[in-house]
Amino acid sequence: MATQAGPPPVVASDRSGKPSRTLLIGLSLGYFMVLLDLTIVSVALPAISRSFGVGLSALEWVTNGYTVTFAALLLTAGWLSDRLGGKRVFVWGLVAFGVLSGISAAATSLGFLVALRLALGVAGALLLPSSLAIITNSYTVPAERARAVGSWAAITGAALVAGPVVGGLLTESVGWRAIFLVNVPLTLISLVVTVRFASETALKPRSGLDLTGQISAVVALAALVFALIEGPAKGWSDSAVLIALVLVPVAAIIFVRAEMRAGDAAMLPPRMFRRRGFSAALVAGLLANFGLSGLLFVLSLFFQDSRGYSASLAGLAFLPLTIPTAINPIFTGRLVGRVGPRRPATIGFVLMGAGALIQAPFTGNSGLALVATLVGLLAFGFGISFTLPALVAGIASTVPTEFAGIGAGTLNSARQVGSSLGVAVLGVVLSLSASNASGTRSALIVGGVTLLIGALIAVTGLRGRTPA
């Protein structure tokens, strides 16, 4: 239904007439929280395990409860942002995220905490596309918009750096519940800034919600993650696990048929897959986060259970991985602009794979083992900083202009699917091993080989230099 045109929105600006820098900070805080919640929980997992007396599969749900709903609902959140307005959806997401984070800190059981993590993923999905929509609406000059989006995207590195370190320090000094409370003041700041400075985005005419595609996507992903997490614990012949394994292909087939039938009105328009490099970028994005989230999960447990690190020391041990992601993407962006996404992404995957494999033989406490960990994490961190910006550029250069937002959302969804699968699959590897050290060794090998497969996909499937 068409809406009546009104006066153009008024955007709060500074004396130069540009949108207020405070607005960009407030929107970036919302994005920062979404990404922080992906990593801050990793070093708190042993403390959560002791608090509730739960094992490995339960800890996987604490991590994956968030990423499953976040990944599955990103595209629908983009649809809501277009139909209802970016500011409105962003404010809803902020309020939900802050309230749910506060309640998570008071969780009295593992089941309650996992349910809250699932709900937090929904709130996080609302925040990401709506914050980008507000930026696009507020910065009308292309050059200023590009700089604003670049600053917003740079939050990825900051959140990755802050997650393990802040999580470790809070867990050791206050307790694991504090990792959720940190979101509450950040939410309040972002909420005040958004309400004060953001204007509502223009409503876009979009077709009806692709409900069949959305439901089937959620069912397929949730069933797959459930089977991988609960299979080792319940047994692969358990009725619930078998039902989940049957649901995966059935829901996947329903999803594909629904998208093909809906055409350009689909949640994931099939026409995008006709562009060279699009599918390769999605698969590469999935594999990159498979390695990253799987490695954070495995090594967080290894550092504390096998090497006896405190939570804060375990968080600091990840700095060789996280610091390059905060400083190197600027160089990577320039490199991608000169040579295209293929070579940077390939180099990144090779470094990530090598970083995981270097650590695999050294799961003791010797000086050589510590050096191997340092070198491996450093290589892995530089690999991420090459790979992720290149994949974003790869998507941007392949999708039609009218599907640019859907393309970016699809890449984010693919990456979060990879995060869920990385934790679930490498969790299976850990559960089948005799000890944490031997399981870590096997998981690093599996992760490293998977990332080298990502290098093959990048070098054969992504575009090289593209015309300006």
Side-chain angles (χ1 to χ4, degrees):
M1 181 172 133
T3 57
Q4 186 174 358
V10 178
V11 180
S13 59
D14 57 25
R15 293 181 180 178
S16 67
K18 298 178 182 178
S20 170
R21 185 173 297 178
T22 306
L23 171 60
L24 183 58
I25 293 172
L27 296 173
S28 297
L29 270 180
Y31 186 36
F32 177 83
M33 286 190 305
V34 170
L35 298 174
L36 186 71
D37 245 46
L38 291 169
T39 57
I40 195 171
V41 75
S42 58
V43 293
L45 292 174
I48 294 173
S49 174
R50 292 190 295 269
S51 179
F52 293 129
V54 296
L56 180 64
S57 63
L59 296 180
E60 292 176 62
W61 277 118
V62 174
T63 299
N64 276 343
Y66 182 80
T67 55
V68 164
T69 50
F70 182 56
L73 296 174
L74 267 175
L75 293 180
T76 295
W79 180 88
L80 287 172
S81 179
D82 285 348
R83 286 294 297 267
L84 303 177
K87 179 180 178 179
R88 181 178 302 173
V89 172
F90 187 74
V91 168
W92 287 352
L94 278 176
V95 172
F97 206 91
V99 171
L100 291 168
S101 294
I103 298 174
S104 296
T108 55
S109 68
L110 191 281
F112 187 31
L113 179 60
V114 170
L116 289 166
R117 292 287 288 168
L118 288 164
L120 273 168
V122 177
L126 293 176
L127 290 173
L128 197 153
S130 57
S131 62
L132 187 57
I134 296 172
I135 292 174
T136 303
N137 181 75
S138 301
Y139 290 83
T140 56
V141 179
E144 293 175 1
R145 179 186 299 165
R147 285 193 292 270
V149 171
S151 299
W152 176 84
I155 293 295
T156 303
L160 190 57
V161 170
V165 176
V166 173
L169 292 173
L170 288 176
T171 299
E172 187 171 344
S173 60
V174 183
W176 65 265
R177 298 179 187 277
I179 66 174
F180 299 112
L181 288 177
V182 73
N183 289 330
V184 176
L186 297 178
T187 297
L188 291 174
I189 295 171
S190 182
L191 185 62
V192 170
V193 170
T194 303
V195 171
R196 169 68 180 83
F197 292 102
S199 62
E200 187 54 273
T201 60
L203 303 185
K204 300 178 183 177
R206 291 284 296 270
S207 58
L209 177 62
D210 180 13
L211 197 58
T212 302
Q214 179 62 88
I215 293 175
S216 57
V218 172
V219 170
L221 177 57
L224 178 58
V225 171
F226 177 88
L228 290 174
I229 291 177
E230 298 298 334
K234 295 179 178 292
W236 295 102
S237 59
D238 178 81
S239 58
V241 174
L242 290 175
I243 291 172
L245 289 173
V246 171
L247 277 176
V248 174
V250 172
I253 291 171
I254 292 174
F255 174 77
V256 172
R257 293 187 63 180
E259 302 309 276
M260 292 182 67
R261 186 165 56 248
D264 283 358
M267 182 177 71
L268 186 57
R271 180 155 62 96
M272 294 195 300
F273 290 91
R274 300 172 191 163
R275 296 296 186 100
R276 179 174 176 265
F278 180 75
S279 298
L282 293 186
V283 175
L286 185 151
L287 295 180
N289 270 48
F290 178 102
L292 173 59
S293 294
L295 185 112
L296 286 173
F297 178 78
V298 168
L299 289 184
S300 292
L301 298 175
F302 170 70
F303 286 156
Q304 295 179 69
D305 292 345
S306 293
R307 287 191 173 167
Y309 291 177
S310 64
S312 58
L313 184 56
L316 292 172
F318 282 111
L319 283 178
L321 182 154
T322 57
I323 287 178
T325 65
I327 61 175
N328 196 53
I330 296 174
F331 166 76
T332 303
R334 295 172 181 169
L335 180 64
V336 171
R338 289 198 301 267
V339 304
R342 179 190 298 151
R343 275 187 276 175
T346 303
I347 292 170
F349 271 110
V350 170
L351 286 173
M352 291 169 70
L357 294 174
I358 286 171
Q359 300 174 70
F362 305 100
T363 52
N365 268 319
S366 66
L368 182 59
L370 297 180
V371 171
T373 298
L374 173 64
V375 173
L377 289 178
L378 196 62
F380 201 101
F382 274 105
I384 294 170
S385 68
F386 276 105
T387 300
L388 296 186
L391 294 180
V392 172
I395 286 288
S397 66
T398 57
V399 298
T401 304
E402 64 270 25
F403 290 146
I406 297 177
T410 304
L411 176 61
N412 273 299
S413 294
R415 287 180 54 197
Q416 300 316 318
V417 169
S419 294
S420 297
L421 294 180
V423 172
V425 171
L426 297 190
V428 171
V429 175
L430 281 180
S431 67
L432 296 176
S433 302
S435 66
N436 181 271
S438 63
T440 299
R441 186 181 307 115
S442 300
L444 288 171
I445 292 173
V446 172
V449 171
T450 301
L451 290 166
L452 293 181
I453 293 173
L456 290 175
I457 292 172
V459 75
T460 57
L462 295 183
R463 288 183 173 183
R465 187 192 301 272
T466 55

